[in-house]
Amino acid sequence: MANGQWYPPEWPDRIRALADGTLTPVSPRRAATVLLLKDTESGPVVHMLRRRASMAFAGGAYAYPGGGVDPRDDDRLVGWAGPTRAWWADRLGVDEPGAQAIVCAAVRETYEETGVLLAGPDAESVVGDTTGDDWEADRAALVARELSFAEFLDRRGLVLRSDLLGAWTRWITPEFEARRYDTWFFVAALPEGQRTRNASTEADRTVWIRPAQAAAGYDRGELLMMPPTIATLRQLLPYATAAEALAAAPARDLTPVMAGARLQDCEIVLSWPGHEEFTKHIPTDPTTAGTSAATNTGTPTGTSVATTAETTGGGPV
């Protein structure tokens, strides 16, 4: 049975172009995404959104809130609580301004896309309800980049709670992809008193779902996901609470994962180091590449698949 691995049909042509030197890789843009967790009686659930089918990249795929770094987030000190910028720089493998920008991106994008804000008046507290009109005006200004995150925190008298985040993994988009990101994945727990909602213009649905349920839906081909998404879902399976996952984060390896392609016999072998389940064998004959790639692995080729009631609900939670 086909699983739900998202696979762009243009990749074989781009891989061949990279191999023969006619494609120059673009530099990846730094980004951050957050696996937002909350505890339930049956274990932790994770917040996911479904990208609109009309999206040029991964349309119909389930993902986590996240996005690119705002350059303004590395040139101005923001109100900060938790581990220092130097600690984060060492953890993320970047310089201090870069660490601040990546952590800011994680918190800002979570707020922009879910309405959840990992910040508070001081190092011991977190804001409560953020659903009022004044909050929404600031959120919209952040989305439009009319307001920087540092300005937003200053205006509100808030500090970013970096201690509420745990760096989980890091994935870099393959060199043959037109849109490339160097993405740090974080885990966080939903703060008490806050709730999520679908505030993203890129998503047509949001859900809270148990990692095991989401992984099972992917395995049956009912939930479409990119490799980093299903990989991180499987990594959450051992943890019985959100706190356990957060406690495990500091020991996790952040060596970047990036797919590579090699020519072998009469096919291209596409693989992600350490993640054998995503390996694909693509014929070098471009007239059969799309069909054979899907047949060999049982995966869709960039087409959205139907979703089912595997989820625990959608909309505001």
Side-chain angles (χ1 to χ4, degrees), residues 35-38 40 42-48 64 208-219 223 225 229-241 245 310 312:
L35 287 67
L36 187 63
L37 305 170
K38 72 173 181 179
T40 70
S42 57
V45 290
V46 61
H47 185 75
M48 304 187 76
Y64 311 114
W208 284 102
I209 186 169
R210 296 203 313 272
Q213 285 184 302
Y218 167 90
D219 289 338
L223 301 181
M225 300 180 198
T229 308
I230 180 60
T232 48
L233 281 170
R234 297 200 199 284
Q235 291 162 357
L236 289 174
L237 295 180
Y239 303 102
T241 66
E310 265 309 306
T312 57

Side-chain angles (χ1 to χ4, degrees), residues 295-312:
T295 301
N296 288 350
T297 61
T299 59
T301 56
T303 302
S304 178
V305 293
T307 58
T308 67
E310 265 309 306
T311 58
T312 57

Side-chain angles (χ1 to χ4, degrees), residues 140-153:
L142 286 169
V143 172
R145 298 297 181 262
E146 297 167 355
L147 183 69
S148 74
F149 194 58
E151 292 168 338
F152 165 71
L153 293 176

Side-chain angles (χ1 to χ4, degrees), residues 4 55 82 119 150 256:
M55 298 291 292

Side-chain angles (χ1 to χ4, degrees), residues 43-103:
V45 290
V46 61
H47 185 75
M48 304 187 76
L49 53 85
R50 184 176 64 187
R51 294 171 60 83
R52 295 185 183 277
S54 58
M55 298 291 292
F57 184 80
Y62 279 80
Y64 311 114
V69 164
D70 183 342
R72 295 176 296 179
D73 288 340
D74 65 4
D75 60 9
R76 174 178 172 180
L77 291 179
V78 303
W80 193 273
T84 65
R85 293 170 180 81
W87 185 94
W88 279 107
D90 181 68
R91 178 72 180 119
L92 302 179
V94 297
D95 59 20
E96 289 190 34
Q100 173 179 283
I102 293 164
V103 174

